[in-house]
Amino acid sequence: MPFTALGLGPKITKAIKEARYEEPTPIQAKAIPVVLEGRDVIGVAQTGTGKTAAFVLPMLEKMQHRGQTRNMRALVIAPTRELVVQIEENVQAYGRHLHLRYKTIYGGVGEQPQIDALRRGVDFVVATPGRLLDLMGRGIVNFSDIEFVVLDEADRMLDMGFLPSIKRIVAALPKTRQTLLFSATLSKEIEGIAKDFLKNPVTVQIGARSTPAELVTQHVIEVPKAAKTDLLIHLLKDQALEMVLVFSRTKHGADKIARKLAQAGIATATLHSNRTQGQRMQALKRFRSGEVRCLIATDIAARGIDVDGISHVVNFDFPPQPEDYVHRIGRTGRAQAIGDAISFVAPDEADSLRLLERFLRRGIPRRKVEGIDLRLTEAAAKQAADLAKQKYDDAIGKRAERGRAHSARRGGDSRPSASGDTRKPGRIQGRNGLTTAKRDGVPSPFARSSRDSSPARGRSGSSQVPQRDGRPVETQGRSDERRSSSQTSWKPRGPRPSTRPGGGSGRRGR
Ligand code: AMP
């Protein structure tokens, strides 16, 4: 079916042709006519199905006739900055022959250009909820002419705790409008917000409820935890794994995998929220361009990434939530391409796998791997870990010995001090009030106060603790996902990511 049959006019179809789309994807074929008709829509589709064009194309088609206006008429809300940038790039591409003004609004970058654009007048805005609310609160946003609102990746926005923000935004919108909601999964919660925000919506669904992209081949490899990295290295010897997205549950896990792969001579890029926005963009760029064939990411950081041609998704850590699995594997098999999803499942992850299989209502085939003995690998990995622990214990033992010799020379430390200190022997008390248990006169790293997680800090009392006016000052711990992402301030540098509509090679049509 050609795009023209869906009711799109010549300017839009010209842009589609230039994007080298030959025919609509199933979600586009279903959603475009309904949106053109003016109905509210619930679209159940993952990233990779062509859902962005499914809502952007008919919106632009309808918007073009009125030309530029003073206030925004279309608002798309998406959970992450990356997704906002990607949606806007699509809007620019599809709307290149229209004379409309497009703008992104998101945090972490200077707000002035966004404010200036809103004041000058803009037709189509793509925004994250946080910055938009911020500007709304200061009276900079005028919603009075809004005709279209899209909530994209609504399930993700709920997961990320954006519901209160979205409620406030939607409450400020005109009642007469067309509302579209897209979500990879359709939960009770999503149905709830659809009921609150949409009027008599048409549900457009691709595949069965909550199922992963049909074009993704899935399998499971049962593997002891300690052997996972070796298994990954082994699999990567196969060049058919040409563009691999590896999911790690934690940021530290992602870094660890990257280090081990580097030791094995495999270059990777990592994507997690301890990295600055610039570093994340750089990682995506290296991956997209093929400079590295392996990108290691956490779930949050990988949200909404739009990379064509990912040949394999590897679940290094199995996701505890079935929805995360669906999202992860939706990163491959994009836009009619074929993809593979390989899940490493350790014995302690078997329950999560069972949960997923119940959710999907089908089993995922188990696969044996040739050319590697996972038990041997596990044994070797355990041996290496034991050796490292032995070295650590030896070092502790030596320090204890040195401590004993030192106290023997000084006649021990159990006598009260000359200043009449009556603190219990066997405890070191720092000025910060933290105490550190001692074993044979030597602080034991295993007996730290629960408030003190740093060995250096515990041993030397106050000297390692930042002080102000003689009191310990609270220092910020390692950043968590939320802190680090809200804290980073960045400006995209250099050219935009190269993946453009129709530009990816994919492995289409196999
Ligand atoms: P999305 O699901 O919107 O993230 O789109 C996934 C990818 O498919 C994007 O790179 C789009 O440019 C591409 N795409 C969207 N529609 C089509 C189409 N009809 N034919 C080929 N590629 C498409």
Side-chain angles (χ1 to χ4, degrees):
M1 183 200 294
F3 277 100
T4 42
L6 301 177
L8 298 170
K11 288 188 180 166
I12 300 280
T13 43
K14 187 169 176 220
I16 293 171
K17 215 181 242 152
E18 286 158 357
R20 298 202 298 276
Y21 297 174
E22 282 160 18
E23 55 176 28
T25 64
I27 187 83
Q28 290 162 5
K30 285 188 182 176
I32 290 172
V34 187
V35 179
L36 286 175
E37 226 179 87
R39 299 287 304 271
D40 282 4
V41 170
I42 303 174
V44 186
Q46 297 142 40
T47 311
T49 53
K51 69 176 167 65
T52 313
F55 60 81
V56 173
L57 293 173
M59 281 163 73
L60 290 174
E61 178 63 41
K62 292 178 85 175
M63 287 174 73
Q64 63 178 308
H65 305 296
R66 256 180 73 189
Q68 287 186 1
T69 47
R70 175 82 191 78
N71 296 320
M72 73 172 90
R73 290 157 59 206
L75 172 65
V76 177
I77 305 173
T80 63
R81 289 176 272 194
E82 285 88 349
L83 189 56
V84 162
V85 171
Q86 282 158 16
I87 295 170
E88 201 246 0
E89 285 170 349
N90 285 15
V91 175
Q92 295 271 5
Y94 306 145
R96 58 190 296 194
H97 302 298
L98 316 177
H99 300 286
L100 299 176
R101 290 159 304 178
Y102 317 109
K103 186 70 193 162
T104 51
I105 291 186
Y106 51 83
V109 290
E111 57 179 27
Q112 203 52 46
Q114 300 173 358
I115 295 173
D116 293 345
L118 288 171
R119 292 213 165 115
R120 269 196 309 273
V122 55
D123 302 288
F124 198 122
V125 169
V126 189
T128 52
R131 174 63 64 89
L132 183 66
L133 258 182
D134 191 13
L135 300 183
M136 273 170 65
R138 288 149 58 195
I140 295 160
V141 186
N142 185 339
F143 283 145
S144 55
D145 291 342
I146 284 282
E147 294 166 20
F148 301 96
V149 177
V150 182
L151 302 175
D152 194 20
E153 301 218 348
D155 49 350
R156 282 288 165 201
M157 293 207 275
L158 293 192
D159 287 353
M160 291 169 83
F162 284 140
L163 184 58
S165 307
I166 290 168
K167 280 189 172 162
R168 284 172 58 197
I169 295 168
V170 175
L173 298 171
K175 297 278 168 283
T176 334
R177 56 163 204 260
Q178 194 175 350
T179 311
L180 317 173
L181 179 149
F182 281 80
S183 177
T185 54
L186 195 55
S187 62
K188 284 261 168 301
E189 269 177 306
I190 293 289
E191 281 169 355
I193 60 169
K195 212 162 123 244
D196 291 346
F197 300 159
L198 278 66
K199 277 195 205 116
N200 192 18
V202 178
T203 302
V204 174
Q205 197 159 332
I206 293 305
R209 196 178 151 115
S210 312
T211 54
E214 283 157 24
L215 292 161
V216 179
T217 313
Q218 305 162 58
H219 45 249
V220 158
I221 302 175
E222 286 164 338
V223 52
K225 206 177 214 83
K228 283 188 174 183
T229 317
D230 284 326
L231 172 62
L232 179 60
I233 294 169
H234 177 75
L235 292 178
L236 286 170
K237 284 183 191 147
D238 181 352
Q239 293 302 320
L241 278 79
E242 55 191 68
M243 202 175 180
V244 188
L245 177 58
V246 178
F247 279 98
S248 158
R249 201 172 47 78
T250 64
K251 297 169 276 195
H252 306 296
D255 285 336
K256 204 164 138 196
I257 300 167
R259 270 198 309 276
K260 294 232 176 113
L261 261 56
Q263 281 161 13
I266 301 165
T268 60
T270 48
L271 196 72
H272 59 65
S273 58
N274 269 7
R275 316 210 75 205
T276 64
Q277 192 68 22
Q279 286 171 326
R280 285 196 257 168
M281 287 294 204
Q282 187 61 23
L284 273 177
K285 200 169 152 200
R286 293 175 68 213
F287 185 52
R288 277 185 175 131
S289 67
E291 188 187 327
V292 294
R293 62 190 256 252
C294 193
L295 178 71
I296 304 166
T298 56
D299 286 292
I300 293 183
R303 249 162 229 180
I305 66 167
D306 174 21
V307 180
D308 274 351
I310 292 178
S311 63
H312 292 75
V313 165
V314 174
N315 290 315
F316 189 94
D317 296 313
F318 197 76
Q321 299 304 326
E323 286 84 2
D324 283 327
Y325 179 89
V326 173
H327 269 276
R328 285 181 180 190
I329 77 164
R331 307 291 145 193
T332 183
R334 298 168 67 76
Q336 316 302 310
I338 298 254
D340 284 359
I342 306 168
S343 298
F344 293 180
V345 178
D348 66 347
E349 294 167 315
D351 284 346
S352 303
L353 173 61
R354 267 193 294 276
L355 186 72
L356 173 77
E357 291 181 323
R358 268 205 303 276
F359 177 84
L360 299 177
R361 295 209 190 93
R362 68 183 184 91
I364 302 177
R366 277 36 170 189
R367 190 181 121 187
K368 290 263 171 280
V369 188
E370 307 272 303
I372 182 168
D373 186 336
L374 294 175
R375 279 173 200 283
L376 280 182
T377 313
E378 180 194 20
K382 278 212 174 110
Q383 216 174 3
D386 287 349
L387 202 71
K389 183 167 185 315
Q390 184 62 46
K391 272 191 184 160
Y392 178 71
D393 288 349
D394 287 353
I396 293 291
K398 275 193 193 133
R399 213 166 54 214
E401 240 164 61
R402 274 203 303 277
R404 269 195 295 274
H406 183 67
S407 353
R409 273 200 303 280
R410 293 182 47 194
D413 70 344
S414 57
R415 290 166 296 156
S417 72
S419 62
D421 188 346
T422 55
R423 281 173 296 186
K424 269 194 192 159
R427 312 286 295 177
I428 294 175
Q429 189 154 18
R431 262 190 288 154
N432 59 355
L434 301 178
T435 53
T436 304
K438 292 200 297 176
R439 191 182 56 199
D440 299 335
V442 173
S444 157
F446 303 109
R448 270 178 245 130
S449 146
S450 60
R451 285 170 60 198
D452 178 22
S453 59
S454 141
R457 213 203 257 192
R459 273 197 300 280
S460 54
S462 63
S463 66
Q464 303 281 330
V465 179
Q467 301 272 323
R468 191 183 300 132
D469 303 333
R471 277 175 296 129
V473 210
E474 227 179 77
T475 50
Q476 264 179 318
R478 292 190 74 89
S479 57
D480 57 23
E481 295 274 354
R482 182 186 296 202
R483 181 189 143 243
S484 122
S485 58
S486 61
Q487 188 196 42
T488 48
S489 87
W490 63 281
K491 265 194 172 37
R493 258 179 280 134
R496 284 244 160 87
S498 58
T499 307
R500 292 296 31 92
S505 58
R507 289 194 294 154
R508 289 182 209 290
R510 274 196 336 183

